[in-house]
């Protein structure tokens, strides 16, 4: 009797465990979305879903095939409805938990972020950790642009921006959770890095090989689109960005030719709010430590002269961007937010009276503590260290 009882218990347990696995899906029967693109044209939302084949992700020894990328396009009146259009042709269930990038067109950013963010945060599979980028080119083509060596788009700036940012900090990437927080923060201006397709830099077997490149940033304040600015105009931004890892400076001589390049790592900036004649002013103090990487002029330059010219170049970059922001109404350095946080009554009074918070003279002082650790002259036997001191 006891023996039969044990057998019955074992059979029941087996039945329970077997039934519990009936709804498990094998990975080859699922489609994993890796990126979402959004465009807004003619009063309708165009959504793009990027899928990447596993053969381009998990490679085996001797495998030579390149990973494939699929990009869908669906059009609907709302961003949410466009997903249900995609489901009609999806073939397999789409898993959204692995989305690592959201790509917005310029028109989608202008339309506003509320509807997009609301849809992404209500469904339980979506996470708040994807990178967010913008583009003023075709969303579909950007999502279809592959990386190097037969790798998929997962090995590009879109999905792994921090790798190249640590080598050259131009425009800091931003994740969805931070973007949402900063968009809805009073008096704060945030920005989304912009990407484009570069068709000129790289070739593969003497054939043009397009690659994704950073080309600027879209600026937003309280869900209001403030404009797109190219990378060349944003050089001053990196000095006040806490995430900056590595920034290079090309210093010009008297004849406007590049004399040398200096690289700085982990610059540290501090913004102080001061009042001069009851008017809020801002002082920027910047600490930078760097080293020589290139010298184009075959002359001995005193170290003091190097530091002086480099300081002037950095100060000029910061000031040019600030004045551009005053002219076009964009607070690139978030100085208004500093006033909002540190002296709310003054900020409130200026907003209530309609007085400008930032003018051409609001940036009162830029102080730079610059240290050049080495100039690389030990590698050049024609230069004596004592000559540069």
């Amino acid at each position: 009797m006891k023996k039969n009882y044990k057998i019955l218990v074992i059979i029941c347990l087996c039945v329970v465990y077997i039934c519990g696995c009936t709804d498990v899906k094998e990975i080859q029967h699922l489609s994993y979305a890796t990126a979402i693109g959004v465009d807004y044209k003619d009063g309708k939302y165009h959504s793009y879903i990027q899928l990447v084949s596993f053969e381009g992700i998990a490679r085996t020894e001797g495998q030579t095939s390149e990973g494939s990328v699929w990009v869908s396009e669906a059009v609907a009146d709302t961003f949410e409805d466009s997903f249900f259009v995609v489901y009609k042709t999806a073939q397999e269930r789409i898993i959204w938990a692995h989305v690592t990038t959201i790509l917005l067109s310029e028109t989608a950013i202008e339309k506003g972020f509320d509807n997009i963010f609301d849809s992404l945060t209500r469904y339980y599979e979506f996470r708040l950790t994807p990178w967010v980028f913008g583009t003023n080119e075709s969303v579909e083509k950007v999502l279809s642009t592959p990386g190097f060596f037969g790798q998929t788009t997962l090995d590009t700036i879109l999905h792994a921006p921090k790798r190249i940012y640590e080598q050259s900090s131009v425009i800091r990437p931003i994740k969805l959770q931070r973007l949402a927080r900063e968009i809805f923060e009073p008096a704060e201006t945030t920005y989304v890095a912009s990407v484009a397709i570069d068709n000129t830099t790289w070739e593969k077997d003497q054939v043009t090989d397009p690659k994704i490149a950073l080309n600027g940033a879209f600026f937003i304040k309280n869900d209001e689109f403030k404009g797109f600015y190219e990378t060349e105009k944003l050089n001053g931004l990196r000095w006040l960005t806490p995430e900056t890892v590595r920034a290079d400076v090309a210093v010009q001589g008297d004849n406007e030719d590049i004399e040398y390049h200096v690289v700085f790592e982990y610059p540290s900036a501090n913004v102080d709010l001061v009042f001069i004649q009851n008017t809020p002013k801002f002082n920027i103090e910047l600490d930078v430590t760097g080293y020589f990487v290139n010298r184009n002029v075959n002359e001995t330059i005193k170290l003091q002269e190097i530091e002086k010219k480099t300081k002037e170049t950095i100060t000029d970059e910061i000031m040019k961007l600030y004045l551009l922001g005053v002219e076009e109404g964009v607070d690139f350095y978030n100085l208004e937010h500093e006033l909002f946080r540190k002296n709310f009554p003054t900020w409130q009074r200026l907003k209530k009276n309609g007085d400008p918070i930032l003018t051409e003279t609001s940036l009162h002082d830029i102080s730079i503590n610059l240290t050049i650790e080495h100039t690389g002259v030990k590698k050049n036997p024609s230069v004596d260290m004592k000559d540069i001191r």
Side-chain angles (χ1 to χ4, degrees):
M1 183 67 182
K2 288 184 178 180
K3 183 177 181 181
N4 293 336
Y5 176 75
K6 291 181 179 179
I7 294 175
L8 180 63
V9 170
I10 293 173
I11 294 174
C12 291
L13 290 174
C14 291
V15 170
V16 169
Y17 284 121
I18 292 173
C19 294
C21 299
T22 55
D23 62 340
V24 173
K25 304 291 184 183
E26 297 184 5
I27 60 173
Q28 67 265 28
H29 296 150
L30 299 171
S31 297
Y32 292 88
T34 52
I36 297 173
V38 187
D39 197 358
Y40 187 78
K41 296 183 289 188
D42 302 323
K44 292 184 179 292
Y45 282 93
H46 294 241
S47 71
Y48 303 85
I49 310 302
Q50 180 192 77
L51 306 177
V52 176
S53 64
F54 287 114
E55 63 198 35
I57 303 173
R59 290 173 173 267
T60 58
E61 186 177 351
Q63 179 179 340
T64 58
S65 60
E66 297 185 0
S68 301
V69 178
W70 286 264
V71 178
S72 69
E73 180 180 9
V75 183
D77 293 327
T78 66
F79 175 64
E80 180 68 29
D81 287 342
S82 64
F83 286 109
F84 287 90
V85 176
V86 175
Y87 291 151
K88 296 178 181 179
T89 58
Q91 310 304 315
E92 299 282 0
R93 178 186 174 90
I94 297 178
I95 302 299
W96 301 102
H98 294 266
V99 171
T100 56
T101 295
I102 298 172
L103 181 62
L104 308 174
S105 71
E106 183 171 355
T107 53
I109 296 175
E110 288 184 29
K111 175 63 177 175
F113 194 67
D114 280 347
N115 292 334
I116 299 172
F117 181 75
D118 185 73
S119 297
L120 292 176
T121 54
R122 287 185 181 275
Y123 187 51
Y124 71 95
E125 282 189 10
F126 285 117
R127 304 186 183 186
L128 294 176
T129 54
W131 299 103
V132 182
F133 290 92
T135 185
N136 42 28
E137 297 190 6
S138 167
V139 174
E140 182 179 5
K141 290 182 179 179
V142 173
L143 292 178
S144 302
T145 303
F148 288 103
F149 316 118
Q151 296 171 326
T152 67
T153 57
L154 295 182
D155 297 290
T156 63
I157 296 174
L158 274 183
H159 294 274
K162 290 193 69 174
R163 299 174 189 172
I164 191 63
Y165 185 75
E166 291 173 354
Q167 190 170 36
S168 178
S169 304
V170 182
I171 307 293
R172 66 103 181 92
I174 191 169
K175 289 197 171 185
L176 178 61
Q177 55 193 12
R178 177 176 174 179
L179 178 63
R181 182 184 75 241
E182 294 182 352
I183 280 182
F184 301 113
E185 174 71 11
E188 183 161 8
T189 299
T190 188
Y191 58 94
V192 174
S194 173
V195 293
I197 300 175
D198 184 327
N199 292 298
T200 60
T201 302
W202 293 94
E203 289 185 354
K204 178 184 177 183
D205 300 328
Q206 297 184 341
V207 177
T208 299
D209 191 19
K211 290 290 173 279
I212 297 174
L214 292 170
N215 70 331
F218 297 95
F219 286 80
I220 310 165
K221 181 180 180 182
N222 304 137
D223 205 25
E224 177 187 354
F225 179 63
K226 305 298 289 186
F228 166 78
Y229 294 88
E230 296 177 346
T231 306
E232 292 74 17
K233 294 182 178 181
L234 300 174
N235 285 332
L237 191 61
R238 53 191 173 165
W239 303 115
L240 274 77
T241 302
E243 294 83 5
T244 297
V245 177
R246 193 168 185 263
D248 74 291
V249 177
V251 181
Q252 294 181 337
D254 297 332
N255 58 359
E256 296 188 356
D257 291 334
I258 302 298
E259 285 192 354
Y260 52 87
H261 284 79
V262 184
V263 167
F264 296 96
E265 295 182 346
Y266 301 102
S268 175
N270 183 56
V271 178
D272 289 326
L273 171 65
V274 297
F275 284 84
I276 300 176
Q277 296 179 349
N278 294 324
T279 302
K281 305 284 185 180
F282 301 92
N283 293 334
I284 294 176
E285 184 176 358
L286 180 66
D287 296 317
V288 290
T289 301
Y291 52 88
F292 248 54
V293 291
N294 182 46
R295 187 184 64 167
N296 296 326
V297 178
N298 193 22
E299 298 177 353
T300 300
I301 310 173
K302 295 292 185 181
L303 185 59
Q304 293 81 358
E305 184 66 18
I306 294 172
E307 292 178 345
K308 178 177 178 292
K309 287 186 176 181
T310 307
K311 283 183 180 181
E312 291 173 351
T313 301
I314 296 175
T315 301
D316 185 60
E317 288 183 358
I318 295 173
M319 199 65 194
K320 275 186 177 179
L321 184 59
Y322 172 75
L323 293 176
L324 175 64
V326 172
E327 180 183 348
E328 302 197 3
V330 183
D331 185 10
F332 291 107
Y333 300 136
N334 266 319
L335 300 181
E336 181 185 344
H337 192 247
E338 288 289 326
L339 178 62
F340 171 81
R341 290 174 55 247
K342 296 178 179 179
N343 197 311
F344 177 75
T346 300
W347 176 85
Q348 191 177 41
R349 172 176 55 82
L350 292 174
K351 295 294 288 186
K352 184 178 180 180
N353 296 337
D355 297 330
I357 294 176
L358 300 179
T359 65
E360 292 183 358
T361 60
S362 295
L363 185 50
H364 180 252
D365 181 63
I366 301 174
S367 174
I368 300 178
N369 303 315
L370 185 145
T371 302
I372 295 181
E373 291 185 328
H374 63 82
T375 61
V377 294
K378 290 184 177 180
K379 299 178 182 179
N380 187 349
S382 65
V383 179
D384 195 337
M385 279 294 291
K386 69 177 185 299
D387 292 332
I388 68 168
R389 294 295 178 183

